[in-house]
Amino acid sequence: MKTFKYSLIPKLLYRYASIPANLILLIYFLISVLGLIANWKFIFPLLINIILLYVLNRFYLKMYRSFPFRIDINNEEMLCSDFVFNNREIKIKHSEIENISGGIFSGRAYMPLYIKTKDTVIGISPHIKDYNKLLTLILTNVPKELYESLLKSIQKIAMDNTPKRIK
């Protein structure tokens, strides 16, 4: 089995960056509430703070549930562990993978990759060490139909992004 982990800085950012961001947004939220008492125009910063708090926490909760910080992989299965909220281990057989989306398959290589089975969804950020090797191992072991559909989606994205020749 080959092991893939995040390096120290991305691991710290993914686990703990929401704490100071939430504290700063909560301070601005309180200032906006106090300012709303004095002038009704503070409703706009208050609404912006509420939206930012919602989006930030929705992203981090989704990431905490679906992003493992350790992935052990071989030719038959992946063992995902070291989640933020709990110490569960998820075993995914390559033959059970139904869909892979996001990342390079959506045309945005900097976005997370989501591996979906009928029971679970696992997210993998491109900041994991040896991301390309991990992606290669996954793609070489998924069912052939899924591999071909992913290849077609990448080709379509490549064709859409090539500049058109002027005649």
Side-chain angles (χ1 to χ4, degrees):
M1 284 211 143
K2 186 152 173 75
T3 302
F4 294 91
K5 295 180 180 179
Y6 290 90
S7 60
L8 180 64
I9 292 175
K11 192 173 184 177
L12 288 174
L13 284 175
Y14 285 139
R15 284 190 181 215
Y16 304 114
S18 68
I19 297 169
N22 275 319
L23 287 175
I24 291 169
L25 286 174
L26 285 173
I27 290 169
Y28 280 117
F29 175 79
L30 292 174
I31 291 170
S32 297
V33 168
L34 294 174
L36 187 62
I37 295 169
N39 191 346
W40 67 271
K41 293 179 183 176
F42 281 95
I43 191 75
F44 300 113
L46 180 67
L47 292 175
I48 291 171
N49 282 322
I50 290 171
I51 291 169
L52 287 175
L53 278 167
Y54 173 75
V55 169
L56 177 76
N57 287 309
R58 188 183 70 169
F59 169 75
Y60 272 98
L61 286 174
K62 181 180 179 183
M63 190 185 70
Y64 289 160
R65 278 184 269 136
S66 63
F67 279 54
F69 287 94
R70 178 186 172 107
I71 300 172
D72 297 315
I73 187 169
N74 62 19
N75 289 335
E76 289 86 31
E77 62 189 10
M78 293 185 344
L79 182 63
C80 303
S81 59
D82 193 18
F83 290 87
V84 174
F85 284 146
N86 51 27
N87 292 328
R88 67 183 176 170
E89 288 186 351
I90 297 176
K91 193 178 283 192
I92 298 175
K93 294 188 181 220
H94 294 297
S95 60
E96 295 175 351
I97 296 175
E98 294 178 352
N99 190 16
I100 299 176
S101 61
I104 62 169
F105 303 113
S106 66
R108 297 175 288 182
Y110 55 88
M111 298 297 289
L113 185 74
Y114 293 98
I115 299 172
K116 298 174 186 172
T117 65
K118 71 177 179 181
D119 297 331
T120 60
V121 176
I122 296 296
I124 301 171
S125 174
H127 297 106
I128 197 166
K129 287 183 185 177
D130 297 328
Y131 173 74
N132 291 332
K133 289 180 184 177
L134 175 62
L135 186 58
T136 302
L137 281 171
I138 293 169
L139 289 177
T140 55
N141 295 307
V142 296
K144 185 177 180 182
E145 301 83 29
L146 177 60
Y147 177 78
E148 289 174 354
S149 70
L150 292 172
L151 188 60
K152 285 179 185 177
S153 70
I154 290 175
Q155 289 172 344
K156 183 181 181 301
I157 291 168
M159 292 301 284
D160 291 344
N161 291 336
T162 56
K164 307 289 187 238
R165 291 187 180 201
I166 300 174
K167 293 184 179 182

